[in-house]
Amino acid sequence: MSQQAVARTAGASAPAVRLRTAARKRADWRRRRLVLFLMSPWIVGFTVFFGYPLVMSAYLSFNHYDLLSSPRWVGWANYHYLLSVDPQTWIAVRNTLWMICIAVPLQVLFAFGIAVLLVRAKSGAGFFRTVFYLPALAPPVAATLGFVYILNPATGPVNTMLAWLGIEGPLWFQSPHWSKPALVGLGLWGIGNTMVIFLAAVLDVPQHLYESAALDGASPLQRLRWVTLPIVSPVILFAVVLGVIQGLQYFTQAYVAASIASGQASQAGDTLNALGYPEDSTLFYPVLLYQHGFNDFQMGYASSMAMLLLVVSFAVTLVIVLNSRKWVHQTVPR
């Protein structure tokens, strides 16, 4: 083919190439618009209910804002007062750390132990699975109300039964030494969601691994240690991370229990501050945040507390995930 023919062919194909390119761009843009349209409910919800509040909280944390007047810029004053001046901050931090260090391990161990027992149950597994899961369906407020009345030191059935045995029951939510253990008991009672997740993970362990370990002479405890735990370790990591985040945000049960228990004490003749009752033993960090933001109308200060909680939650989760590489087995042998 001569050079003139090649040039004529290239000149004739160039418009076709441009047309095909333009058609592909239009098709790609139509697909992008369709994706954006389908994602628009999530984008709007994320922006309105998460993105905008997060940005405004970060901004208000550097302002004095009482919900009645315009925000007034104060710089780092809120953070300085939070970390260096406010005497209640470290009380709330200690209570929150207590809940994380005591309640979270107990909840994980209890949920895992119940799951292992249900897997080994010869009969009635479905019934017991339902029994242990049902408390998770109870609303947190209703469950807390029930626990406060059950553990009432004067008329509650728990102390009544202990009295029948000749044991003097504790004051539970009326005592600063027993209020947090009572909340831990409430958390263990409603462990159904985590138990179901552990149950699915334990049931997914390959049976041939148990058979191989049994042939090698491994005892049930050794099979649990060297077969079950490594395989369900990702689920343990999930439960620990979720428990720590929930512990850092622990609010509803402590707020309701303190309010009801302080009301019972007030009926006995005492006038008490509900939040943190008794003696600030249930004053967790989110409860203190609520007190400053909605009781004292210190919304700028409460925003600084919320931002600090966000940073700490992210940092703690990151540390747990990074250190999990030492004990979490990501691959499951088949």
Side-chain angles (χ1 to χ4, degrees):
M1 183 180 294
S2 63
Q3 293 181 353
Q4 293 81 2
V6 172
R8 284 195 299 272
T9 303
S13 61
V17 171
R18 287 196 295 271
L19 288 175
R20 288 196 297 270
T21 302
R24 282 198 299 270
K25 289 182 179 179
R26 287 194 297 270
D28 291 341
W29 175 239
R30 284 195 296 269
R31 284 194 293 270
R32 291 192 184 98
R33 284 188 300 179
L34 177 61
V35 171
L36 288 174
F37 174 75
L38 296 175
M39 291 182 61
S40 59
W42 180 88
I43 294 174
V44 172
F46 179 85
T47 303
V48 173
F49 297 108
F50 183 81
Y52 175 75
L54 179 62
V55 173
M56 284 303 299
S57 294
Y59 169 72
L60 291 175
S61 68
F62 296 99
N63 289 264
H64 172 77
Y65 181 50
D66 57 5
L67 294 177
L68 301 177
S69 57
S70 300
R72 178 169 54 85
W73 184 265
V74 295
W76 294 94
N78 287 328
Y79 292 96
H80 173 73
Y81 184 81
L82 172 63
L83 298 174
S84 303
V85 181
D86 191 350
Q88 290 185 304
T89 298
W90 299 111
I91 297 175
V93 169
R94 284 196 300 269
N95 289 333
T96 304
L97 287 177
W98 190 98
M99 185 60 67
I100 292 173
C101 296
I102 302 298
V104 173
L106 287 177
Q107 290 174 356
V108 172
L109 289 174
F110 186 68
F112 178 72
I114 294 299
V116 172
L117 292 177
L118 288 176
V119 169
R120 296 178 178 273
K122 301 299 182 181
S123 61
F127 170 77
F128 289 109
R129 188 183 308 146
T130 304
V131 168
F132 282 109
Y133 180 73
L134 279 178
L137 301 178
V141 174
T144 308
L145 285 171
F147 252 70
V148 172
Y149 285 110
I150 289 172
L151 298 178
N152 187 298
T155 60
V158 172
N159 278 15
T160 300
M161 289 186 289
L162 291 176
W164 293 345
L165 301 175
I167 301 173
E168 183 180 358
L171 296 178
W172 300 112
F173 289 108
Q174 304 293 341
S175 168
H177 303 292
W178 284 95
S179 56
K180 286 192 286 291
L183 290 173
V184 172
L186 174 60
L188 294 178
W189 178 74
I191 205 64
N193 288 327
T194 309
M195 181 272 297
V196 169
I197 297 173
F198 273 123
L199 182 62
V202 174
L203 288 173
D204 195 48
V205 177
Q207 291 298 316
H208 67 84
L209 297 180
Y210 289 126
E211 296 171 358
S212 300
L215 290 175
D216 289 338
S219 65
L221 286 178
Q222 290 174 328
R223 292 197 294 270
L224 177 67
R225 168 65 181 86
W226 300 107
V227 177
T228 306
L229 285 177
I231 294 179
V232 303
S233 56
V235 181
I236 296 176
L237 172 64
F238 169 78
V240 169
V241 171
L242 188 64
V244 169
I245 294 176
Q246 290 176 345
L248 289 170
Q249 300 175 353
Y250 195 78
F251 172 79
T252 303
Q253 293 86 342
Y255 177 84
V256 174
S259 300
I260 301 302
S262 63
Q264 293 173 352
S266 297
Q267 292 175 3
D270 296 328
T271 302
L272 302 164
N273 181 22
L275 295 182
Y277 179 83
E279 300 180 19
D280 288 339
S281 61
T282 59
L283 186 66
F284 299 98
Y285 190 86
V287 176
L288 182 62
L289 190 156
Y290 175 87
Q291 175 179 313
H292 285 300
F294 297 97
N295 282 6
D296 303 334
F297 297 104
Q298 299 171 348
M299 193 57 67
Y301 184 64
S303 297
S304 66
M305 295 185 66
M307 296 308 300
L308 182 62
L309 179 61
L310 175 64
V311 172
V312 171
S313 299
F314 178 79
V316 171
T317 303
L318 183 63
V319 169
I320 294 174
V321 172
L322 291 179
N323 284 276
S324 67
R325 299 173 182 175
K326 302 176 182 178
W327 56 273
V328 173
H329 298 259
Q330 300 293 342
T331 58
V332 178
R334 293 288 181 182

